[in-house]
Amino acid sequence: TAHPHSARNRSPRRRARLDLRRKPLAHCSRTSRRAARADAPRRRTTMRPSQYPMSTAALVTALWVANFKVSQPPEGNLCPADAAACHFSTSYEASRALFRARAADVSAACGATHARVEALPETAPGVNTDVAVFDGCSGKENCPTLVHLSGVHGVEGFAGTAIQNALLDRWRESCPPAGTKVVLVHAVNAYGMAHGRRWNEDNVDMNRNLLKTGQTYAGLAASRAAAEAAYAELASLLNPTCRWSEFSFWFRAMYYIVTKGYVVCKRALVSGQYTQPRGVWYGGAALAPAHRHVLDFLGKAVDRDAPIVAVDVHTGLGPTGVDTLMVLDANVEKATALRSVFGEPDGSFLYGGALDAGGAAAGYDLMAGDTPTGYVDRLRWTRARALTQEFGTVSSLLVARALVRENSAFHYSSEEVMRTKAARDLRRAFYVQSAAWQNAVVTRGVRVAEEALAGLVDGRLA
């Protein structure tokens, strides 16, 4: 007698299901899958108890995404009804024009001999990083200096440039504090801001790209084997090459979060990777041209031994409308000095460090590359402090979804409609067009810049 589990004694339905599993399916082909399934007898699907939490989470999150899409305000500017919105722009071109116009007004009001606006060399056709410098030290050496950066991550630049435009609007009436120098760098990653991408023209993450002196791109992946392996484990989630599937993304996302933990997954993302040029969070194989141009300019405009505060504005992490002041430098003395200037959190903002167990800064402990600290290191500024101001927008899971979808559509979709929709969703994930969010960004962004200048003037940051 044959064994009860032998192929001869299996039911026809059981044999059909086994044949379906063995049948090769074309990669990412729905047609082949449907055809193969049509040959198999229909059966009732039974869900095991262990699958309920995962499926429920995926369903709830999918509904959340649908609600996010429906609830987003229409594209457009809320100005003049919302005063803060008048500092925001709806495109890179409009933001650049507003920045240059207001900087010229400040230059005229405060004295052209101590103010200038320059366009750095193009990094792609028609896109430039612009820099405005206001020198209130009358040429004196080692002038206390504020360096304010926007648009390092392209599409995130609408918040940082709005803060810069708000500062310029104030300085048209009253110039920057005497005895200080201000350097406003508009759209470090001008290509990304112009084209609705977080990455630059070479798909490079500008933060992960800026390594410190002594670090080299050659062999970097090998020296970060653990981080690269963690990223590779999530490759099917982060870099899909198929037609976009909400169900596939959310099911995989929930699976990895449940099995590995949220912070572990986030660390694998934000730590960056240096092996997949088309993948998200790619750090590149050489220093990005935009960084070279900014470094060349800052090396000439800012004194090496001056007291310096570098503020880099980002969006996408943290509670909606709340900013986290992230000090990723391990120097305790510098972090303490910054806290003495910006005060203790009162609920309107948060502090964050790379070793925090939670919050916007969690998971950054294994990263390579950071723009403000990288500038400080490469320019050998001896008395500088670097600060990242990160404004929350929507849920971090929705931000990750938007990034993955846009990158997949940009590289693998042949449909212009799909790429346009993905780019629109990405912009909405980093730029919330509501009066409350825009007011929070402008109010807190201007306050941090003014507190930094005050700390430089009174010596607390000297």
Side-chain angles (χ1 to χ4, degrees):
T1 304
H3 191 276
H5 297 297
S6 65
R8 189 174 68 183
N9 285 335
R10 289 182 184 133
S11 67
R13 290 183 179 180
R14 172 68 173 165
R15 288 199 297 271
R17 290 198 299 271
L18 288 174
D19 291 341
L20 174 61
R21 293 173 186 173
R22 296 189 187 103
K23 186 176 296 185
L25 300 178
H27 181 57
C28 298
S29 173
R30 290 185 175 182
T31 304
S32 59
R33 288 188 179 126
R34 288 171 182 163
R37 288 169 183 154
D39 296 336
R42 294 191 176 275
R43 63 187 180 90
R44 178 178 294 177
T45 302
T46 302
M47 184 178 292
R48 296 189 301 273
S50 62
Q51 291 178 309
Y52 284 117
M54 185 69 66
S55 299
T56 302
L59 176 60
V60 170
T61 309
L63 293 174
W64 189 12
V65 173
N67 178 67
F68 166 71
K69 290 180 178 180
V70 173
S71 63
Q72 284 293 292
E75 295 280 339
N77 206 321
L78 302 176
C79 179
D82 174 20
C86 297
H87 305 302
F88 283 82
S89 304
T90 56
S91 67
Y92 157 77
E93 292 78 11
S95 177
R96 185 188 186 205
L98 182 61
F99 176 83
R100 293 184 65 86
R102 289 189 178 180
D105 290 344
V106 176
S107 177
C110 300
T113 57
H114 303 304
R116 67 184 190 275
V117 184
E118 294 186 20
L120 302 187
E122 288 186 350
T123 56
V127 295
N128 306 74
T129 296
D130 293 286
V131 184
V133 180
F134 307 100
D135 187 354
C137 287
S138 302
K140 184 181 68 175
E141 291 186 356
N142 298 329
C143 180
T145 303
L146 169 66
V147 177
H148 194 278
L149 308 170
S150 69
V152 169
H153 278 154
V155 72
E156 299 180 23
F158 292 97
T161 57
I163 294 169
Q164 292 173 341
N165 288 329
L167 287 168
L168 292 171
D169 187 53
R170 290 194 175 205
W171 292 337
R172 286 191 292 187
E173 302 297 330
S174 59
C175 301
T180 66
K181 180 185 290 184
V182 177
V183 181
L184 303 180
V185 184
H186 178 277
V188 175
N189 177 10
Y191 172 88
M193 187 173 178
H195 295 276
R197 304 210 71 210
R198 191 175 186 264
W199 329 116
N200 76 349
E201 62 276 7
D202 297 316
N203 202 59
V204 168
D205 181 333
M206 295 285 283
N207 253 357
R208 302 295 83 85
N209 177 255
L210 193 59
L211 304 181
K212 290 187 177 182
T213 304
Q215 291 181 303
T216 60
Y217 297 92
L220 185 60
S223 66
R224 303 175 68 252
E228 296 288 344
Y231 181 93
E233 286 187 44
L234 305 182
S236 62
L237 168 69
L238 301 179
N239 300 310
T241 59
C242 316
R243 184 181 178 86
W244 179 254
S245 167
E246 292 286 353
F247 176 81
S248 176
F249 173 83
W250 286 114
F251 185 84
R252 288 174 177 172
M254 292 302 104
Y255 170 78
Y256 285 123
I257 290 173
V258 170
T259 57
K260 295 180 179 295
Y262 172 78
V263 174
V264 172
C265 292
K266 180 183 174 182
R267 182 180 291 111
L269 273 63
V270 301
S271 296
Q273 54 89 14
Y274 298 84
T275 57
Q276 301 184 38
R278 286 192 170 191
V280 290
W281 281 276
Y282 174 59
L287 187 65
H291 279 322
R292 291 203 306 270
H293 299 326
V294 174
L295 284 167
D296 287 344
F297 182 88
L298 292 178
K300 300 172 184 176
V302 180
D303 295 328
R304 175 180 168 183
D305 297 322
I308 302 167
V309 175
V311 179
D312 184 18
V313 179
H314 290 260
T315 64
L317 292 176
T320 303
V322 177
D323 60 308
T324 302
L325 303 182
M326 299 167 60
V327 182
L328 301 179
D329 194 315
N331 189 306
V332 176
E333 182 181 350
K334 289 184 179 181
T336 302
L338 288 170
R339 285 178 181 263
S340 72
V341 171
F342 299 107
E344 289 301 316
D346 57 4
S348 62
F349 72 101
L350 303 170
Y351 281 116
L355 299 180
D356 288 350
Y364 281 85
D365 47 307
L366 297 182
M367 73 173 187
D370 174 61
T371 297
T373 56
Y375 284 172
V376 170
D377 176 78
R378 284 177 174 261
L379 293 169
R380 298 183 179 179
W381 289 340
T382 59
R383 302 165 66 191
R385 291 171 174 84
L387 179 71
T388 296
Q389 187 175 23
E390 180 86 41
F391 287 92
T393 52
V394 297
S395 162
S396 57
L397 292 176
L398 293 176
V399 170
R401 166 197 169 272
L403 284 168
V404 170
R405 183 188 182 194
E406 187 278 332
N407 193 64
S408 177
F410 182 85
H411 290 293
Y412 303 108
S413 177
S414 59
E415 302 176 31
E416 184 63 29
V417 174
M418 295 297 293
R419 291 197 295 270
T420 301
K421 287 182 178 180
R424 180 195 62 197
D425 282 355
L426 181 67
R427 175 167 154 161
R428 288 178 173 179
F430 288 105
Y431 177 18
V432 180
Q433 295 194 21
S434 71
W437 189 82
Q438 292 177 338
N439 271 289
V441 168
V442 170
T443 300
R444 282 290 306 154
V446 169
R447 180 178 173 183
V448 165
E450 291 181 339
E451 288 178 337
L453 285 169
L456 288 167
V457 169
D458 64 25
R460 286 175 295 166
L461 293 176

